[in-house]
Amino acid sequence: TLGRVRAYHTKIMVGSVHNKRHQKLLTLLDEAVKLYDPSFLYTTIQLNKNVLTPLHKDKNNVGLSLALSLGDFTGGGIRQFHLNGSSYKDIDTHNKFEFQDGSLYHQTLPLEGERYAFIFFFHKAGFNSPSPPLLEEILFNGMTKISLNESKEPDVWVESITNT
């Protein structure tokens, strides 16, 4: 994990112990996110190599997450379920940034090859920092950036985000 993380047994965010060792990677990832979307606010970057996450919800993430995966692989996307759980959308993050809603059930799809996944998210403990952003900034930041609904009806994920 890079960026800011919650200190063990506290609600305070501190720099990850890995930041210094991987400063060049941290800087490169931060610059890439700023180029993709300068308004996206995040505290933490989760890095995974060939990890297949089971069906789950992210309990500490606020707002949308931004995902990117790199490597020589096939498959390995994110299956994002709608609020009602009866339908889903597969999100391809291979060599590109894509938003996903961690407050809804999601999982990693099977993959072949070597995959490095980078998940950028705002940890709820980030609101305990000296100059925290407003919750509305974090939520609004994502509301206009993701659509899980192929129809013209309002997206079901908006209700999930605003009710957390």
Side-chain angles (χ1 to χ4, degrees):
T1 304
L2 295 175
R4 298 187 58 75
V5 296
R6 194 182 80 190
Y8 194 67
H9 291 305
T10 72
K11 294 182 180 180
I12 303 205
M13 298 293 284
V14 297
S16 168
V17 297
H18 303 290
N19 287 351
K20 187 173 183 179
R21 181 174 175 208
H22 301 288
Q23 183 61 51
K24 288 182 182 178
L25 177 60
L26 181 59
T27 300
L28 180 66
L29 291 171
D30 188 56
E31 289 173 358
V33 169
K34 285 183 174 140
L35 283 172
Y36 179 75
D37 184 348
S39 69
F40 183 70
L41 301 175
Y42 68 95
T43 58
T44 311
I45 309 168
Q46 179 65 45
L47 285 73
N48 296 315
K49 179 182 178 186
N50 297 331
V51 172
L52 296 177
T53 58
L55 188 64
H56 70 286
K57 292 181 181 182
D58 299 326
K59 67 179 182 175
N60 292 312
N61 299 16
V62 179
L64 295 180
S65 299
L66 186 59
L68 166 71
S69 56
L70 302 171
D72 185 15
F73 68 93
T74 57
I78 300 169
R79 178 157 289 167
Q80 174 80 70
F81 287 84
H82 289 268
L83 182 60
N84 63 14
S86 66
S87 59
Y88 60 85
K89 178 178 181 179
D90 290 342
I91 303 169
D92 178 14
T93 62
H94 194 184
N95 295 329
K96 62 183 176 178
F97 285 108
E98 292 289 343
F99 288 99
Q100 65 98 198
D101 184 348
S103 72
L104 299 176
Y105 281 108
H106 59 283
Q107 68 188 78
T108 310
L109 295 170
L111 67 99
E112 289 186 24
E114 191 167 71
R115 173 182 172 266
Y116 295 89
F118 306 87
I119 308 297
F120 302 80
F121 64 94
F122 191 93
H123 192 288
K124 67 181 177 183
F127 291 116
N128 298 327
S129 66
S131 301
L134 297 173
L135 175 62
E136 292 79 14
E137 284 182 84
I138 301 296
L139 296 179
F140 181 76
N141 179 46
M143 285 187 184
T144 60
K145 295 187 166 100
I146 187 171
S147 176
L148 299 176
N149 190 338
E150 301 300 326
S151 73
K152 299 296 182 193
E153 298 173 23
D155 287 335
V156 294
W157 65 269
V158 172
E159 180 181 338
S160 173
I161 289 176
T162 56
N163 288 334
T164 58

